[in-house]
Amino acid sequence: MHYNPIETRIVAKFNVTNTSIATQIIGYPSVNQFSEIEIDGIVQPSVTTTYTFNSTGEHIIKYTLVDPTRIGDYAFYNCSTLKKITIPNSITLIGNNAFDTCRILNDIILPDNITAIGGYAFQNCYELTSINIPSKV
């Protein structure tokens, strides 16, 4: 089955405050969940867990999923500067600890197609004060 990459990409905003330390952009060991990442409009030559930004402020990262129906376990674990994330409609499952320790995550949009959310998916997301869980979950 062929999927349109636009429909299967996760779009995230990171709030970078320090350019001397690499920012975690994918939860270890979740690199194999993504086939491509685009940072601030530039497709990266390889998928990696960290990235060193050259400026502070908000940066947009787009992730193309290998399996466009799921965000696997620990996908964004400890991405502590992840602020906002939009999940595509193709996603039906969010794995265990997927967003665990995304400390400043305060905005997440879950599509209506989600049917399962794993344990501790939003643990230690201190800024996330509310979330709309689809009725199918």
XYZ file of all heavy atoms in Angstrom, residues 10 14 22 29 34 40 42 44 46 53 57 61 64 66 70 73-74 83-84 93 102-103 109 116 124 126 132 136-137:
241
model
N 4.350 13.585 11.205
C 4.121 14.249 12.475
C 4.819 15.594 12.389
O 5.970 15.676 11.961
C 4.709 13.418 13.630
C 3.994 12.075 13.733
C 4.647 14.186 14.939
C 4.669 11.114 14.671
N 9.746 22.627 18.466
C 10.682 22.546 19.581
C 11.063 23.961 19.990
O 11.264 24.823 19.133
C 11.942 21.775 19.171
C 11.764 20.293 19.153
C 11.068 19.674 18.138
C 12.297 19.514 20.163
C 10.901 18.301 18.114
C 12.143 18.136 20.154
C 11.433 17.531 19.127
N 23.282 19.559 22.220
C 22.426 18.906 21.222
C 21.036 18.673 21.799
O 20.891 18.271 22.950
C 23.040 17.593 20.777
N 15.542 4.220 21.842
C 16.157 3.823 20.578
C 15.160 3.819 19.418
O 15.075 2.849 18.682
C 16.639 2.413 20.882
C 15.556 1.863 21.777
C 15.027 3.048 22.555
N 11.199 6.132 12.112
C 11.090 7.248 11.181
C 11.933 6.989 9.935
O 13.082 6.594 10.030
C 11.533 8.544 11.854
C 10.787 8.814 13.135
C 11.342 8.516 14.362
C 9.510 9.351 13.100
C 10.648 8.744 15.550
C 8.800 9.578 14.273
C 9.378 9.274 15.500
N 13.354 22.480 9.999
C 13.246 23.846 9.479
C 13.270 23.871 7.952
O 13.946 24.683 7.324
C 14.347 24.736 10.054
C 14.202 24.944 11.561
O 13.065 24.906 12.063
O 15.227 25.142 12.237
N 14.494 21.636 5.852
C 15.610 20.953 5.206
C 15.580 19.475 5.573
O 15.657 19.112 6.754
C 16.963 21.575 5.618
C 17.000 23.042 5.199
C 18.125 20.798 5.017
C 18.166 23.818 5.758
N 16.968 16.025 6.271
C 18.257 15.628 6.823
C 18.792 14.382 6.110
O 18.018 13.530 5.686
C 18.120 15.366 8.320
C 17.659 16.582 9.101
C 18.562 17.783 8.906
O 19.765 17.727 9.159
N 17.995 18.885 8.439
N 20.251 11.838 7.325
C 20.010 10.609 8.078
C 19.127 10.927 9.282
O 19.030 12.067 9.712
C 21.330 9.987 8.545
O 22.008 10.872 9.401
N 21.006 22.714 16.986
C 20.453 23.872 16.285
C 21.444 25.020 16.334
O 22.206 25.155 17.290
C 19.130 24.298 16.920
C 18.020 23.311 16.706
C 17.752 22.321 17.637
C 17.245 23.366 15.565
C 16.734 21.408 17.447
C 16.218 22.458 15.352
C 15.965 21.482 16.297
N 15.062 29.562 19.941
C 13.694 29.865 19.542
C 12.978 28.626 19.038
O 13.423 27.504 19.255
N 10.019 20.571 13.126
C 10.538 19.295 12.649
C 9.359 18.476 12.148
O 8.332 18.375 12.821
C 11.280 18.525 13.753
C 12.452 19.353 14.279
C 11.778 17.173 13.230
C 13.247 18.688 15.375
N 8.588 11.656 9.090
C 7.866 10.703 8.259
C 7.997 9.339 8.915
O 9.103 8.861 9.177
C 8.440 10.661 6.830
O 8.390 11.973 6.280
C 7.642 9.713 5.952
N 7.739 5.262 9.434
C 7.886 4.012 8.697
C 6.533 3.303 8.652
O 6.094 2.842 7.610
C 8.961 3.110 9.347
C 8.960 1.724 8.736
C 10.328 3.755 9.216
N 1.081 4.113 13.442
C 1.433 4.085 14.867
C 2.634 4.964 15.201
O 3.542 5.135 14.397
C 1.720 2.657 15.301
C 2.923 2.040 14.610
C 3.187 0.605 15.004
N 3.624 0.553 16.385
C 3.216 -0.356 17.259
N 2.409 -1.312 16.898
N 3.660 -0.332 18.486
N 6.577 2.807 20.859
C 7.068 2.999 22.221
C 8.287 3.921 22.225
O 9.174 3.788 21.383
C 7.471 1.658 22.832
C 6.305 0.699 22.984
O 5.142 1.125 22.855
O 6.574 -0.495 23.242
N 8.297 4.848 23.157
C 9.427 5.752 23.403
C 9.799 6.640 22.213
O 10.904 7.146 22.144
C 10.663 4.960 23.851
C 10.444 4.229 25.155
C 10.024 2.905 25.180
C 10.634 4.882 26.371
C 9.806 2.243 26.373
C 10.418 4.224 27.574
C 10.008 2.905 27.569
O 9.793 2.248 28.751
N 7.533 21.233 22.307
C 6.492 22.118 22.826
C 5.102 21.805 22.269
O 4.111 21.853 22.981
C 6.859 23.566 22.497
C 5.932 24.588 23.078
C 6.442 25.986 22.794
C 5.521 27.017 23.413
N 6.001 28.374 23.167
N 5.012 21.496 20.967
C 3.729 21.260 20.325
C 3.890 20.141 19.309
O 4.926 20.049 18.648
C 3.245 22.522 19.618
C 1.944 22.338 18.863
C 1.517 23.596 18.152
C 0.203 23.332 17.425
N -0.310 24.529 16.767
N -2.578 4.218 16.838
C -1.982 3.760 18.093
C -0.839 4.671 18.516
O 0.012 5.026 17.694
C -1.429 2.330 17.918
C -0.555 1.820 19.057
C -1.419 1.263 20.168
C 0.423 0.791 18.572
N 8.464 14.692 28.064
C 8.453 15.876 27.188
C 7.964 17.020 28.079
O 6.783 17.381 28.072
C 7.540 15.658 25.983
S 8.139 14.401 24.840
N 8.859 17.540 28.863
C 8.530 18.423 29.983
C 7.739 19.678 29.617
O 6.929 20.131 30.398
C 9.817 18.814 30.704
C 10.443 17.670 31.429
C 11.726 18.104 32.139
N 12.300 16.996 32.855
C 13.210 16.180 32.355
N 13.639 16.348 31.123
N 13.682 15.192 33.071
N -2.383 17.590 19.395
C -3.632 17.365 18.686
C -3.685 15.900 18.289
O -2.864 15.429 17.502
C -3.743 18.291 17.455
C -3.705 19.749 17.913
C -5.012 17.988 16.665
C -3.566 20.748 16.798
N -6.001 3.366 20.540
C -5.262 2.893 21.710
C -4.118 3.842 22.049
O -3.424 4.333 21.163
C -4.715 1.490 21.457
N 5.139 12.635 32.920
C 6.114 13.716 33.104
C 5.998 14.813 32.053
O 6.979 15.507 31.766
C 7.551 13.176 33.138
C 7.753 12.213 34.292
O 7.321 12.468 35.407
N 8.398 11.103 34.012
N 4.762 17.908 32.161
C 4.321 18.823 33.201
C 3.490 19.999 32.691
O 2.635 20.510 33.393
C 5.521 19.344 33.984
C 6.333 18.247 34.615
C 7.668 18.079 34.288
C 5.761 17.354 35.511
C 8.420 17.054 34.856
C 6.493 16.332 36.082
C 7.828 16.197 35.749
O 8.557 15.182 36.303
N -7.516 16.113 24.578
C -8.796 15.595 24.093
C -8.576 14.163 23.610
O -7.976 13.959 22.552
C -9.339 16.497 22.980
C -10.718 16.070 22.548
O -11.393 15.319 23.217
N -11.140 16.569 21.400
N -12.962 6.679 20.526
C -12.657 5.303 20.137
C -11.602 4.651 21.031
O -11.406 3.447 20.976
C -12.161 5.255 18.696
C -13.204 5.632 17.675
C -12.597 5.582 16.274
C -13.550 6.085 15.236
N -12.927 6.109 13.901
N -10.899 5.450 21.808
C -9.809 4.904 22.650
C -10.394 4.053 23.755
O -11.313 4.441 24.429
C -8.946 6.033 23.243
C -7.918 5.467 24.219
C -8.255 6.799 22.141
